[in-house]
Amino acid sequence: MVGAVEQVTLTCQRCGADSTHELAYAGRLLVTSTCTECGHTIERDVRDRYVADLRHRVASKPRRMLRRFRRHPVSYACSLPRAVASKPLDVLSELRLVLRAASDVQRKDTE
Amino acid sequence: MITRVVRQRPVAAGVVLAGGSGTRVGSELNKVYLPLAGRRLVSWSIEAFDRVPEIGVLVLVTRPQDGELVDWVLDREITRRNVEVVHGGDARQTSELAALRHLAGRIDAGLIDTVLIHDAARPLISPGLVGGVLHAAREHGGAIPGLPTEDLATVSADGSRLTGAAPGNLVSVQTPQGFYAEPLLAAYEQAARLEFSGTDTASCMEQFSDTPVRWVHGEQRNFKITYPHDLVLAEHILASSDYQVQ
Ligand SMILES: [Zn+2]
């Protein structure tokens, strides 16, 4: 995955504009979307799915690594030390995002 | 000496449009490269076409500035090795024309008989629908998937009031749209000469060809990613099918 935040043009459900939206992802899951025109935000509580997804990503890693290694053995081997080192940090920042969005969703539910 | 010419059976070509005409600012990501359930949006469509054995040629129409992303997706997410990348234009029509010109030699030689054109912003296309459109296009000349719309109403000319239910038999049009390759290429060349710009493949064919077009029942899940919620819905659907092309 490239980066956890993407900026993209989508149509806003609230203001109706084709505007830049900021989308934040944790692994395979979209967690929040914000319209930069009117600030309309969608947040999801994806805690359960994130844990299940993380397990799946870890389990499928050897197969994915093998496929990439077969195609580009040298460049893949060179990228290994960096990829391994950055993973725990990725997971931490994803987890922070997931927990923040979940607590926002819960707060809105109780309001 | 007797030489036997073995004539190859013609194949169909799938064309996936990844032009991203909805992107407003240069620094923004083209939405067809958004992550969706562990892959980029565009790769779900490519995968669906790849599952249909009659699709012998697969073309991906891209913007030159998306080059790195295209390479990344083809390398990491696509099993098929011979996806042909073509640079398209700013508009849908010029992108389609670029793809057809890329295929022109094989169309003229009779190696490609049918072309299916699909919008990459519809990632949940199923191999079944691709096959259905292809079958109908080969039988009738042209085929377009659509869903009957029952809840449409008409409004007055100034848009201020509803004037009643829309007339029956309306369908909302989806992609892929499939046509015989030769008349499709001819229609697009003529449209280019006359600087005609249509909304989709069918509108160009309607204008410049008398190829009969057949409606094929589309699929609810084959919607176009337009709103942020569409991404959430698409993610749910893919998760419920265990992240597999269905
Ligand atoms: Zn908005």
Side-chain angles (χ1 to χ4, degrees):
Chain A
M1 281 288 125
V2 181
V5 176
E6 304 283 6
Q7 289 199 325
V8 74
T9 299
L10 291 169
T11 308
C12 176
Q13 266 124 334
R14 186 162 79 185
C15 71
D18 286 338
S19 57
T20 305
H21 282 67
E22 272 185 7
L23 309 178
Y25 291 84
R28 290 197 282 196
L29 302 163
L30 174 63
V31 185
T32 68
S33 155
T34 306
C35 168
T36 57
E37 294 279 326
C38 75
H40 180 53
T41 298
I42 301 171
E43 283 181 306
R44 303 167 70 198
D45 181 354
V46 295
R47 281 172 301 176
D48 294 348
R49 262 168 294 165
Y50 180 71
V51 173
D53 198 55
L54 199 56
R55 213 175 286 144
H56 185 277
R57 277 155 71 194
V58 172
S60 69
K61 199 169 169 119
R63 193 162 35 97
R64 283 182 289 137
M65 289 200 319
L66 189 64
R67 205 178 63 173
R68 285 178 56 198
F69 179 69
R70 279 196 186 129
R71 282 192 186 164
H72 311 290
V74 175
S75 66
Y76 181 65
C78 294
S79 74
L80 262 183
R82 203 182 50 215
V84 170
S86 67
K87 280 298 163 202
L89 280 176
D90 287 353
V91 171
L92 259 186
S93 65
E94 284 176 7
L95 203 54
R96 216 172 282 137
L97 172 72
V98 167
L99 294 177
R100 197 182 62 217
S103 75
D104 284 353
V105 170
Q106 280 178 331
R107 202 179 57 237
K108 278 182 197 156
D109 284 349
T110 54
E111 271 171 16
Chain B
M1 195 174 97
I2 302 167
T3 50
R4 278 179 62 199
V5 179
V6 182
R7 197 165 164 75
Q8 247 180 297
R9 205 194 146 124
V11 295
V15 174
V16 176
L17 301 173
S21 51
T23 309
R24 300 175 320 140
V25 196
S27 62
E28 273 184 24
L29 185 69
N30 177 347
K31 77 176 165 193
V32 306
Y33 299 102
L34 273 178
L36 171 64
R39 309 171 71 146
R40 301 288 159 159
L41 224 90
V42 64
S43 85
W44 290 102
S45 296
I46 298 174
E47 191 72 18
F49 274 82
D50 189 36
R51 296 281 182 90
V52 180
E54 295 97 324
I55 301 288
V57 176
L58 194 43
V59 177
L60 179 63
V61 186
T62 65
R63 307 185 304 176
Q65 64 265 45
D66 291 331
E68 267 182 47
L69 272 167
V70 174
D71 291 346
W72 192 92
V73 167
L74 292 179
D75 179 37
R76 304 273 186 103
E77 300 185 351
I78 305 297
T79 353
R80 187 179 182 128
R81 300 320 293 153
N82 57 350
V83 176
E84 300 175 19
V85 177
V86 172
H87 287 163
D90 293 336
R92 181 193 179 93
Q93 180 112 3
T94 46
S95 290
E96 291 172 300
L97 179 63
L100 290 168
R101 283 183 175 163
H102 171 78
L103 299 171
R106 281 170 282 178
I107 293 173
D108 291 342
L111 300 173
I112 293 173
D113 65 352
T114 316
V115 179
L116 266 61
I117 301 185
H118 181 64
D119 187 346
R122 297 180 185 273
L124 301 192
I125 175 70
S126 71
L129 185 55
V130 174
V133 170
L134 174 57
H135 186 256
R138 275 185 164 159
E139 193 168 345
H140 303 283
I144 296 171
L147 280 181
T149 52
E150 281 133 20
D151 51 354
L152 285 186
T154 50
V155 290
S156 58
D158 64 355
S160 63
R161 60 197 168 81
L162 291 175
T163 53
N169 308 327
L170 280 182
V171 290
S172 68
V173 172
Q174 302 184 336
T175 67
Q177 303 183 353
F179 293 92
Y180 284 157
E182 265 182 74
L184 183 65
L185 175 61
Y188 270 78
E189 288 295 0
Q190 199 181 346
R193 282 193 293 275
L194 299 174
E195 294 179 10
F196 168 88
S197 184
T199 49
D200 60 0
T201 321
S203 66
C204 185
M205 284 301 272
E206 229 164 71
Q207 191 79 16
F208 298 107
S209 166
D210 47 16
T211 303
V213 178
R214 191 63 173 246
W215 289 106
V216 173
H217 209 280
E219 290 174 343
Q220 292 285 355
R221 56 179 276 168
N222 184 25
F223 55 85
K224 188 171 183 170
I225 300 292
T226 309
Y227 300 98
H229 268 129
D230 294 334
L231 290 164
V232 177
L233 181 60
E235 191 186 289
H236 269 294
I237 293 171
L238 287 166
S240 66
S241 56
D242 202 22
Y243 300 102
Q244 298 298 313
V245 174
Q246 293 280 302

